[in-house]
């Protein structure tokens, strides 16, 4: 869609702490619950809910429970920078 992509994913484990210097990233949960950890709080997305992470914001995603099914919208040339975090 223009210069963005829409992805469907099944998440069964935590992703690394990271950020995207060139794009916002939007998540919508379809099934289960998706947790989006930010440096200061955790966002809990239930089915049908949507949340946008602005570019350059350090975050990680993880399912609450065994898995979550999510739609992700992001720039097609998304850059990901993995960070070391003391938040684990």
């Amino acid at each position: 869609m223009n210069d963005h992509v829409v992805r469907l994913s099944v998440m069964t484990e935590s992703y690394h702490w990271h950020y995207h210097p060139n794009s916002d990233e939007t998540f919508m949960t379809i099934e289960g619950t998706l947790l989006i950890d930010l440096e200061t709080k955790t966002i809990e997305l239930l089915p049908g809910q949507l949340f946008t992470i602005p570019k350059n914001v350090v975050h990680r995603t993880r399912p609450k429970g065994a898995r979550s099914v999510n739609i992700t919208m992001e720039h097609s040339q998304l850059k990901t920078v993995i960070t070391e975090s003391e938040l684990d």
Side-chain angles (χ1 to χ4, degrees):
M1 177 155 67
N2 297 326
D3 57 354
H4 284 66
V5 294
V6 178
R7 303 178 198 276
L8 178 67
S9 65
V10 176
M11 180 168 274
T12 58
E13 58 187 55
S14 297
Y15 193 69
H16 305 283
W17 284 96
H18 65 285
Y19 67 93
H20 307 289
N22 67 328
S23 178
D24 295 343
E25 185 176 33
T26 300
F27 288 92
M28 185 171 83
T29 301
I30 302 300
E31 181 182 301
T33 302
L34 178 67
L35 299 176
I36 301 172
D37 295 319
L38 306 174
E39 291 180 299
T40 60
K41 64 182 175 179
T42 297
I43 306 298
E44 187 171 303
L45 288 186
L46 301 173
Q49 292 182 320
L50 181 115
F51 184 76
T52 298
I53 303 163
K55 69 180 181 178
N56 292 314
V57 172
V58 175
H59 64 283
R60 75 170 176 179
T61 52
R62 57 192 171 98
K64 181 177 182 180
R67 74 180 205 152
S68 66
V69 180
N70 314 291
I71 292 175
T72 307
M73 293 153 271
E74 58 200 17
H75 194 278
S76 61
Q77 301 300 313
L78 181 76
K79 294 179 183 176
T80 299
V81 178
I82 304 294
T83 62
E84 298 276 335
S85 177
E86 299 175 8
L87 303 173
D88 291 325

